[in-house]
Each structure stands twice: as structure tokens, then as C-alpha cells.
Amino acid sequence: MTLDAPALPPDDRPPVIEFRDVGLTYPGTPPVEALKPCRLTVTAGSFLTVVGPSGSGKSTFLNILGLLDAPSTGTYLLDGIDTGALKDTELTALRGRRLGFVFQAFHLLPHRSALENVALAMLYNGVPRKERDGRALAALERVGLGDRAHAVPTTLSGGERQRVAVARALVARPSVLLCDEPTGNLDTANARSVMALLRELHEDGMTIVVITHDPEVAAQGGRTLAIRDGVLEETPPAVPLRTGARS
Ligand code: ADP
Ligand code: MG
């Protein structure tokens, strides 16, 4: 941060994600209204969690956010860009440059080192070959795995594998990190360590969206939305701890 660019209070920051009455109905008999039209603004630097039971529409929401599915109604602006106006190749490029993905199942290449797994994410992003290893190593150091750069995934714990996946998602310097059940395959200790990493990244200014069915994970976000039967709703913020004054 520089002196002439002070951090803005959250509400003054530009929206990274804006849904204007975005909804998705899967065709069929009967059609499934998986996401009812909703409005949503996510400002830069937010840590948003979205919680809901199985079948509530979480993946549908994330697939729209991740430019993997187009909404059937409404307008989705990513970094101010109207995604509905783009061709498939432009959507792919936008996805590669602005979005980082972390999935429940890690999706690491088993016979490649952590470093290679991270470096491969830059293959199609226009990063010159000679810069890739250095950036991959820096990303692994950022997630606390600088000393495991040459390890293959089978020799890493679940939490370490997910950290490699986070490094891979970050290395192209996306605008948003989208995480679909990032702790779904982890035991409690590893889940907490991955969530602690996401909180650190948020403190460094990263915009993060985490989808989860786990209320403990959802509670880590700065803002939590609930989704049920395709309806996305704001949840009340956690009651702040008060010292002194009583009400
Ligand atoms: P979640 O991720 O919360 O489990 P989903 O977004 O996967 O929920 O699904 C929401 C609803 O949409 C469910 O009723 C599901 O059966 C339905 N659905 C999901 N994908 C499709 C599809 N491709 N075609 C038709 N219905 C779908
Ligand atoms: Mg799902």
C-alpha cells in the first residue's frame, strides 16, 4: 500500500461481482429454478461465504460466478465487464485471468511436483516461461509450502494438498478466489488450517467467495449468505462482542 492510495472503507471499494436479477432455470419437465433471480454486490477485498444444504443451489450459484454456466435471466458484471455480452473465447480468457478456483477434491496432477502443479496454471495465461517457476515458488511460499515445492501430492497431507491448490489458484493473480467446499475432504485440523490461510489471504486484500454446507466454515466469512431452494439471502452479521455498555 502506498501513502497516496489509502485503503478505502469496504463500501467505497469498487464491486468485483455484481448480479442484477441473475437467475438460472434448468430446462426440463418440470423446469428447475435452481437460482431464483437475485441481486448481489461483492466489493473488492470481501470475504463472502455462502451456506446451504445439499441441492439448495450452491453449485449453480458458483458455476454462474465462475463463468461456467450462463444465467438464464439477468446481468452478471465481473470487474465491471458485462459477461453476457462476451463470446465463449472471451469468457474463457476472462475466467483464466480474473478467477482462481479451489475445489473440494484438490484436482492436482499426481505425478507432478507441487511446483509443477502450480506452474502449469500459468501455461495459458501469457506468463513468460522463465518467470513461471519463480512465481510458482513464491505462491507456494505464500501458502507455507516453500519447503515442499518438489514433493508430489501423494506425499502431502490433505491440508497441504489443498494449500497447493490455493497456490495454484493464486498464481495468476486473480481478482476473486472461488472456493467450492474447500474443506469438504479434510479432517477438522486440516480444515481449520485451510480456513486460516483463506483468512490471511483476505487480510492481505484478496476477494474470496467460499461455498459450503458447513456452518462452522461459513462463520469464518466477513459476510455470509444463505441459500435455500434457490433463494439467496443475506444473513444477519454475527453479534459483535461488546465490552462495557449494556443494552
Ligand atoms: P447444491 O450444490 O447446493 O447441492 P445444485 O446447484 O447442484 O445444489 O442444484 C440445485 C438444484 O438444481 C437441485 O434441485 C438440482 O437437482 C438441480 N440441478 C442442478 N444441475 C442441474 C442440471 N444440469 N439440470 C437440471 N437440474 C439441475
Ligand atoms: Mg454442489
Side-chain angles (χ1 to χ4, degrees), residues 8-246:
L8 294 167
D11 288 347
D12 292 345
R13 297 187 206 194
V16 178
I17 290 160
E18 201 178 340
F19 276 14
R20 296 184 183 155
D21 302 317
V22 165
L24 176 53
T25 299
Y26 292 110
T29 36
V32 178
E33 203 176 11
L35 183 68
K36 305 233 163 71
C38 63
R39 304 181 79 89
L40 171 68
T41 302
V42 180
T43 51
S46 304
F47 188 172
L48 180 74
T49 53
V50 180
V51 65
S54 179
S56 57
K58 298 186 300 298
S59 293
T60 302
F61 171 77
L62 195 87
N63 289 345
I64 296 172
L65 221 53
L67 303 172
L68 301 166
D69 260 339
S72 44
T73 55
T75 304
Y76 168 22
L77 303 171
L78 173 62
D79 280 338
I81 298 163
D82 179 356
T83 62
L86 302 181
K87 300 200 265 297
D88 277 355
T89 50
E90 295 170 323
L91 284 172
T92 304
L94 192 66
R95 192 185 307 127
R97 294 213 180 91
R98 314 249 177 169
L99 301 175
F101 291 89
V102 174
F103 300 102
Q104 174 170 352
F106 321 136
H107 298 300
L108 300 176
L109 298 172
H111 302 297
R112 303 288 195 138
S113 68
L115 188 80
E116 288 171 311
N117 268 282
V118 176
L120 280 167
M122 290 175 278
L123 203 54
Y124 303 109
N125 277 338
V127 179
R129 176 183 292 268
K130 60 181 187 321
E131 286 179 25
R132 287 183 207 149
D133 281 1
R135 271 177 65 169
L137 186 58
L140 286 168
E141 282 165 355
R142 179 66 198 81
V143 302
L145 286 177
D147 58 341
R148 304 306 311 274
H150 299 290
V152 289
T154 46
T155 65
L156 298 173
S157 71
E160 288 171 332
R161 288 182 210 182
Q162 194 60 303
R163 282 170 177 262
V164 174
V166 171
R168 178 183 56 190
L170 289 176
V171 77
R173 299 176 187 148
S175 305
V176 190
L177 193 59
L178 297 177
C179 311
D180 192 4
E181 300 280 4
T183 61
N185 279 358
L186 301 178
D187 60 29
T188 308
N190 277 307
R192 288 196 176 137
S193 97
V194 165
M195 290 311 294
L197 171 63
L198 295 182
R199 277 202 311 276
E200 269 177 42
L201 296 171
H202 164 61
E203 280 157 19
D204 286 351
M206 191 72 212
T207 310
I208 301 177
V209 178
V210 172
I211 308 286
T212 183
H213 70 278
D214 181 343
E216 184 184 325
V217 170
Q220 313 270 319
R223 175 186 177 195
T224 301
L225 304 178
I227 186 164
R228 181 171 288 276
D229 297 333
V231 179
L232 194 65
E233 285 180 335
E234 204 84 38
T235 62
V239 179
L241 286 175
R242 290 165 66 104
T243 47
R246 287 169 187 273

